């Protein structure tokens, strides 16, 4: 009888600790930062683009941000863009396109005003989401 009561108390204690830890994790989560616009230059990353898009979506989800994705669509990257389109459709999101990188974004680096630039034209060692 004592063993059964001890087991019940132990289960209640572990459940209370789990609820407490989940609450702590929820309250320590970063505040929602609003909205982010992302400009992606894919450059024939067929083998890697799905992982890059997934990690980008997870990062923004964790930070509590919604986002729009604009892709610089060049003819030689048709297969990469098709993969991006399918992924965004599965998530119920629209994709917008630009024929070329705007000149003001080309020279400023990773961030420019409201845009976050992800340029995958560099070599595989340097490319990625920062």
């Amino acid at each position: 009888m004592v063993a059964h009561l001890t087991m019940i108390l132990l289960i209640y204690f572990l459940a209370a600790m789990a609820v407490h830890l989940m609450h702590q994790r929820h309250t320590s989560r970063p505040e929602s930062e609003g909205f982010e616009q992302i400009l992606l230059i894919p450059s024939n990353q067929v083998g890697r683009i799905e992982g890059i898009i997934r990690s980008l979506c997870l990062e923004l989800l964790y930070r509590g941000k919604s986002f729009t994705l604009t892709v610089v669509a060049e003819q030689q990257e048709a297969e990469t863009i098709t993969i991006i389109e399918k992924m965004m459709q599965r998530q119920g999101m629209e994709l917008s396109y630009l024929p070329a990188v705007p000149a003001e974004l080309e020279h400023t680096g990773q961030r420019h005003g409201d845009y976050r630039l992800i340029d995958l034209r560099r070599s595989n060692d340097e490319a990625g989401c920062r």
Side-chain angles (χ1 to χ4, degrees), residues 20-59:
H20 176 72
L21 289 173
M22 288 173 31
H23 176 71
Q24 285 292 86
R25 183 173 176 207
H26 178 72
T27 57
S28 67
R29 195 171 172 191
E31 290 289 321
S32 172
E33 297 180 17
F35 185 78
E36 190 166 320
Q37 293 177 326
I38 298 169
L39 179 65
L40 176 67
I41 306 171
S43 185
N44 288 326
Q45 297 289 329
V46 175
R48 298 179 52 214
I49 196 67
E50 189 170 344
I52 292 169
I53 297 294
R54 286 181 195 272
S55 63
L56 177 65
C57 290
L58 285 174
E59 173 207 343

Side-chain angles (χ1 to χ4, degrees), residues 7 16 18 21 27 37 45 49 68 71 73 85 89 92 94 108 111 116 130:
M7 185 63 103
L21 289 173
T27 57
Q37 293 177 326
Q45 297 289 329
I49 196 67
T68 60
V71 175
E85 286 173 344
Q89 283 176 352
E94 290 187 28
T108 59
R111 287 211 176 260
R116 175 175 167 187
R130 292 185 187 149

Side-chain angles (χ1 to χ4, degrees), residues 64-82:
K65 282 192 165 189
S66 58
F67 69 99
T68 60
L69 183 63
T70 303
V71 175
V72 175
E74 295 179 5
Q75 294 290 32
Q76 67 265 22
E77 294 145 3
E79 193 175 348
T80 304
I81 291 172
T82 303

